[in-house]
Amino acid sequence: MQSSAHPAGAGPVPRLAGHFASLEVQNHAARLGMWLFLSTEVLLFAGLFACYACYRFLFPEAFAEASRSLDLVMGTVNTVVLITSSLTAALAVHYAKEGKNNLVALMFTLTLVMAAAFLVIKGFEYSHKIHDGALPGKYYHYAKIQTAGAPIFYTVYFMATGLHAFHVTIGMGVLLWLTIRAVRQKNFGPNNYVAVELGSMYWHLVDLVWIFLFPLLYLI
């Protein structure tokens, strides 16, 4: 939503679309739409979690052994990085409500840096697995684990973490767009912060999904 002209000191005011009765209704519709979208994302990952649960029940020894082969240090560091990035995303919403656009840009920039760090660390993890031959399905040739079901574990691992990394990349694009708006247009304020709020909500979903993936893949 672009800001329209506003009286001095009143703060940026978003343009009201013609099919909404008021800004309050428009903002409520935007939030409702985001919640509906996030619910579909939850259903997407719920399918993967259900798949994980079924195959873990069928191959408990292989899943336990393969889980111990993952790099717990890298997984833990990535968890800390992502949780911290959620904090900076939340602070961006706080500063947007106060009209502090420079701080909004700073918080989102920090979030983007941590998101990039998360992907780099995940890239190192992937490279180690590829080098060892711990690959999905028929490409599996990891000599250290030959238990039946191990290829299925790595299929679930690459599918779940890869899909999550894809969502991280999309989230980075959204936050980058909001950062550019905060720097160039400086149009976020107490009357116009919903875009920042929605972008932060999406990022919290990315964080939440990883909070489930980390213990399932690395700890259990």
Side-chain angles (χ1 to χ4, degrees):
M1 293 176 291
Q2 299 295 323
S3 296
S4 58
H6 54 276
V13 179
R15 182 178 293 113
L16 177 64
H19 53 283
F20 290 111
S22 65
L23 284 176
E24 182 180 359
V25 173
Q26 178 172 282
N27 292 339
H28 176 73
R31 293 188 181 99
L32 178 60
M34 176 55 77
W35 279 114
L36 290 174
F37 169 72
L38 294 181
S39 67
T40 65
E41 294 289 280
V42 170
L43 290 175
L44 172 64
F45 282 98
L48 284 174
F49 294 148
C51 179
Y52 169 92
C54 290
Y55 281 114
R56 186 177 181 86
F57 176 78
L58 294 174
F59 305 102
E61 294 181 2
F63 268 57
E65 190 175 3
S67 176
R68 289 192 293 270
S69 74
L70 298 182
D71 194 317
L72 183 58
V73 173
M74 285 190 178
T76 302
V77 170
N78 256 353
T79 302
V80 173
V81 167
L82 208 56
I83 290 176
T84 306
S85 73
S86 261
L87 171 62
T88 53
L91 287 173
V93 178
H94 170 73
Y95 290 125
K97 292 178 180 179
E98 296 183 347
K100 299 177 179 178
N101 285 268
N102 290 336
L103 290 178
V104 171
L106 174 61
M107 291 300 104
F108 274 153
T109 299
L110 291 175
T111 304
L112 289 168
V113 169
M114 284 182 277
F118 176 90
L119 292 178
V120 169
I121 294 172
K122 181 55 64 181
F124 279 118
E125 279 195 82
Y126 282 170
S127 66
H128 292 163
K129 295 305 171 197
I130 293 171
H131 179 267
D132 292 338
L135 298 169
K138 66 179 183 179
Y139 302 103
Y140 183 85
H141 56 276
Y142 188 28
K144 292 184 179 179
I145 303 177
Q146 293 298 318
T147 310
I152 297 177
F153 173 86
Y154 287 104
T155 299
V156 174
Y157 167 78
F158 277 101
M159 178 65 73
T161 58
L163 183 61
H164 177 262
F166 177 68
H167 281 73
V168 170
T169 304
I170 293 175
M172 290 176 69
V174 173
L175 297 188
L176 178 61
W177 171 67
L178 292 170
T179 302
I180 293 173
R181 281 187 57 181
V183 171
R184 293 183 177 179
Q185 301 178 21
K186 297 186 182 299
N187 61 348
F188 297 125
N191 298 315
N192 184 30
Y193 63 88
V194 174
V196 175
E197 183 180 7
L198 300 185
S200 182
M201 285 172 63
Y202 183 85
W203 193 254
H204 293 325
L205 171 73
V206 171
D207 182 25
L208 181 63
V209 169
W210 181 256
I211 289 175
F212 280 93
L213 286 177
F214 176 66
L216 287 178
L217 297 173
Y218 291 80
L219 300 180
I220 297 178

